[in-house]
Amino acid sequence: MSAAPVGTREISRHAVQAELARVAFNRFCLTGFNQVTFADLAEAAGVSRSTFLRYFGTKEDVVLFVFDPVGDVIADALEAERAGPDDWDRLRNAVEAATRFLVRDVRELVTILGLVDQTPALCARLREKQAEWRPEIVGRLRRTASSADADGASVVADVRVAAALEILWIVLGRWSASDGQEDLGDLLDAAFAAFSTPARRQADAPS
């Protein structure tokens, strides 16, 4: 039998990871993140410990699996809106695309964010993931920006992307604290407006 195409293997691996993450998350919620071992997770999933470890190297990555595509979602959204005149507006829209991707099941995401907020190791690993996403997002922003050749464009892009990613987590935290009741679009508008100039805020304000 010939080997499966890489794309097919990747899809299959992702499906297995998603199922393992689902089972594991239920166990974390029942028992507590720090109390659960890989042996417990493997038993709950009906696989061997070594098999589970082939898909996830740490417990943190199991919980945070849902966030893995966020960097690509933001970068792709920037690429799709490359004609936009304002980089900050494009970043705001790209971050909103990430929230739409994440909020497919309100109760599940609220629960995940609550577990992250209560677990320092998860907070730290999520920060690491954010740092891993940033170079690609910065590169995509610069390649599609009208001011890409301006002096200081690199540091400006770095700062804007760092701020946009921070806004994402602050807004998700606020939304989670409201039990998913607050409007994410309104929260994003308010957060991004906090970095706008007074003149721009006045221009954007409803008449």
Side-chain angles (χ1 to χ4, degrees):
M1 180 184 298
S2 60
V6 172
T8 303
R9 290 201 302 269
E10 288 303 316
I11 291 170
S12 177
R13 178 178 177 82
H14 185 276
V16 173
Q17 285 180 301
E19 178 60 18
L20 292 177
R22 183 191 66 78
V23 172
F25 186 69
N26 291 336
R27 189 63 179 264
F28 288 136
C29 291
L30 287 171
T31 310
F33 180 81
N34 292 324
Q35 288 71 38
V36 174
T37 67
F38 268 115
D40 296 328
L41 297 179
E43 180 182 10
V47 299
S48 68
R49 183 177 183 276
S50 61
T51 295
F52 203 105
L53 286 168
R54 282 205 301 270
Y55 290 94
F56 292 105
T58 69
K59 292 193 301 179
E60 290 79 10
D61 285 341
V62 179
V63 176
L64 301 177
F65 172 71
V66 66
F67 296 104
D68 284 352
V70 166
D72 288 338
V73 170
I74 293 174
D76 290 346
L78 287 172
E79 188 77 36
E81 202 183 358
R82 61 166 57 227
D86 187 290
D87 292 347
W88 193 233
D89 284 343
R90 291 170 62 229
L91 276 168
R92 181 250 178 258
N93 294 337
V95 168
E96 185 171 32
T99 64
R100 288 197 301 269
F101 168 81
L102 290 169
V103 187
R104 290 168 291 182
D105 182 321
V106 171
R107 176 50 44 202
E108 179 181 71
L109 184 59
V110 166
T111 305
I112 291 173
L113 290 169
L115 180 60
V116 171
D117 186 57
Q118 298 164 14
T119 311
L122 289 172
C123 290
R125 180 65 183 119
L126 190 54
R127 287 289 183 181
E128 290 176 358
K129 286 182 178 289
Q130 178 177 324
E132 292 165 3
W133 302 331
R134 195 163 63 229
E136 175 60 25
I137 298 172
V138 169
R140 197 74 65 93
L141 180 64
R142 292 196 67 202
R143 287 196 300 273
T144 58
S146 58
S147 59
D149 294 328
D151 290 341
S154 178
V155 70
V156 169
D158 275 329
V159 170
R160 285 176 174 168
V161 169
L165 288 173
E166 193 63 29
I167 284 172
L168 172 61
W169 305 122
I170 291 172
V171 163
L172 285 175
R174 175 69 176 268
W175 174 83
S176 178
S178 76
D179 205 34
Q181 296 303 303
E182 290 202 56
D183 185 88
L184 276 167
D186 290 345
L187 290 171
L188 285 172
D189 284 340
F192 273 83
F195 287 86
S196 300
T197 62
R200 177 171 176 177
R201 286 199 296 271
Q202 184 175 3
D204 290 342
S207 57

